[in-house]
Amino acid sequence: MKIEDYELLLKLNEIGTIRGTAKSILISQPAVTQRLKYIEEYFGETIFIRTPKSLVLTPSGEMILEHAKQVMEREQALKNMLSKSSKEVHGTLSIACSSLISQRFLPKILGEYTALFPNVTINLVTGISEDIRKNHKDYHVCIIRGEKLKESTSIRLFDDPLYIFDTEPFPKDSLKERPLISFKSDDSMHELVDNWLYHHQHQIKPVRSMTVDQIETCKQFMKQGIGMAVLPKSVSDSMMEEFPHIALELDGKPVTRYTWVSYQEGIRELPQVDQFIKMLSNEAFL
């Protein structure tokens, strides 16, 4: 039985004649008669008695008509639910995010996102970009620093220039020898810093280095005069007026860390993913 068969039974009962029903649904009278015969054979019962004036429901026909009404009501209820579901953003959103972004920017973004889409379940993993790259296919969205994921679609969210800070001035005409404090990051960050230092050996020479786990720890060590620290603008803009610093540049261009949102092709067909990426793309990070 098709939905159209149940609709036909309800229409026959409403109008009361085969001729009138055929005219109402714009098909031939023989076609209506043939369809009704098929339905009665399907149930093995006579549904209507044909009288000269109208169709009369049999007792079995009354039960079948009641069933037809229930089928149509359930069909409509399902359509309503699907329509509502398609307009609501729900489901699960899995995110892998660079630690710096998760600390500095993500709380605000996720706060706004969950307020707009409370029915979305958030699965979040944070860590260094290098680790995220290894398992990027396990997540709907990856927010990483450094180079973009070649196997994915990537949108550049913002450029984050690097600065070297210290509690002591950076003299222009003499060599500065000081400890260098680094924070745990991926290889691309260390390569940027090492390359810059190599080209500025006559200006700055780290006498020893120490590595801490978090960027915030690195900042605090530098503020206590323990040594220099290379920090991105996104976490150091409030320090510009307080501490001596210089911008990292090579060939007159700023040395910059890029931040990307990366995802697999086709994943934006999921509404919860598409809305999150749109929100990220519209965010003013710096």
Side-chain angles (χ1 to χ4, degrees), residues 182-234:
S182 303
F183 56 92
K184 187 178 180 182
S185 184
D186 54 274
D187 291 343
S188 63
M189 171 67 178
H190 300 307
E191 288 172 3
L192 287 175
V193 176
D194 291 346
N195 188 41
W196 183 83
L197 288 170
Y198 175 79
H199 285 86
H200 291 78
Q201 297 179 63
H202 61 287
Q203 290 178 276
I204 298 173
K205 180 181 179 181
V207 293
R208 65 180 183 276
S209 62
M210 62 183 73
T211 302
V212 297
D213 58 343
Q214 298 288 336
I215 195 169
E216 189 60 34
T217 307
C218 180
K219 287 169 60 176
Q220 295 306 319
F221 276 33
M222 187 282 300
K223 289 180 179 180
Q224 294 301 317
I226 296 172
M228 306 176 292
V230 175
L231 301 169
K233 180 182 179 182
S234 59

Side-chain angles (χ1 to χ4, degrees), residues 25-281:
I25 61 177
L26 303 176
I27 63 175
S28 68
Q29 187 172 330
V32 174
T33 301
Q34 186 63 34
R35 199 66 199 165
L36 177 56
K37 180 180 178 183
Y38 162 79
I39 296 171
E40 289 181 324
E41 289 176 351
Y42 175 85
F43 285 108
E45 298 286 345
T46 300
I47 299 174
F48 294 104
I49 295 174
R50 286 75 160 167
T51 69
K53 291 187 178 181
S54 65
L55 299 171
V56 178
L57 275 172
T58 65
S60 295
E62 291 178 1
M63 289 189 287
I64 293 170
L65 258 291
E66 182 61 31
H67 173 67
K69 290 178 184 177
Q70 292 175 6
V71 169
M72 295 307 300
E73 287 172 0
R74 288 197 298 270
E75 181 80 6
Q76 188 58 51
L78 177 60
K79 287 181 179 180
N80 291 341
M81 289 173 61
L82 291 174
S83 176
K84 183 179 179 182
S85 174
S86 65
K87 294 176 183 177
E88 290 182 355
V89 178
H90 58 97
T92 299
L93 172 63
S94 61
I95 308 167
C97 184
S98 156
S99 296
L100 185 149
I101 303 301
S102 66
Q103 294 167 7
R104 182 75 171 81
F105 302 108
L106 197 60
K108 173 179 175 290
I109 295 169
L110 281 184
E112 294 174 353
Y113 181 87
T114 54
L116 287 172
F117 311 115
N119 294 323
V120 175
T121 300
I122 306 293
N123 289 339
L124 174 64
V125 172
T126 64
I128 64 174
S129 297
E130 190 171 323
D131 291 339
I132 293 172
R133 293 173 192 277
K134 297 175 184 176
N135 303 299
H136 68 275
K137 292 183 179 180
D138 294 341
Y139 311 101
H140 291 140
V141 177
C142 295
I143 306 172
I144 58 173
R145 307 265 287 173
E147 296 298 319
K148 65 181 178 180
L149 282 172
K150 295 180 180 179
E151 307 90 341
S152 303
T153 301
S154 297
I155 300 172
R156 198 161 88 190
L157 296 178
F158 66 97
D159 302 347
D160 205 356
L162 299 179
Y163 295 82
I164 188 166
F165 286 84
D166 199 354
T167 52
E168 300 179 5
F170 290 86
K172 293 183 178 180
D173 301 323
S174 61
L175 179 66
K176 180 183 177 73
E177 296 183 292
R178 287 275 284 160
L180 178 67
I181 310 162
S182 303
F183 56 92
K184 187 178 180 182
S185 184
D186 54 274
D187 291 343
S188 63
M189 171 67 178
H190 300 307
E191 288 172 3
L192 287 175
V193 176
D194 291 346
N195 188 41
W196 183 83
L197 288 170
Y198 175 79
H199 285 86
H200 291 78
Q201 297 179 63
H202 61 287
Q203 290 178 276
I204 298 173
K205 180 181 179 181
V207 293
R208 65 180 183 276
S209 62
M210 62 183 73
T211 302
V212 297
D213 58 343
Q214 298 288 336
I215 195 169
E216 189 60 34
T217 307
C218 180
K219 287 169 60 176
Q220 295 306 319
F221 276 33
M222 187 282 300
K223 289 180 179 180
Q224 294 301 317
I226 296 172
M228 306 176 292
V230 175
L231 301 169
K233 180 182 179 182
S234 59
V235 298
S236 62
D237 50 359
S238 62
M239 301 163 50
M240 297 290 187
E241 295 183 5
E242 186 177 356
F243 296 98
H245 63 278
I246 57 175
L248 271 62
E249 293 185 351
L250 285 174
D251 300 324
K253 297 180 181 179
V255 177
T256 300
R257 287 276 277 169
Y258 300 129
T259 299
W260 307 86
V261 54
S262 300
Y263 50 91
Q264 298 298 305
E265 184 178 355
I267 201 68
R268 292 190 72 166
E269 293 181 15
L270 296 175
Q272 71 273 26
V273 177
D274 184 57
Q275 290 296 335
F276 182 67
I277 293 173
K278 285 179 180 177
M279 185 171 288
L280 282 175
S281 302

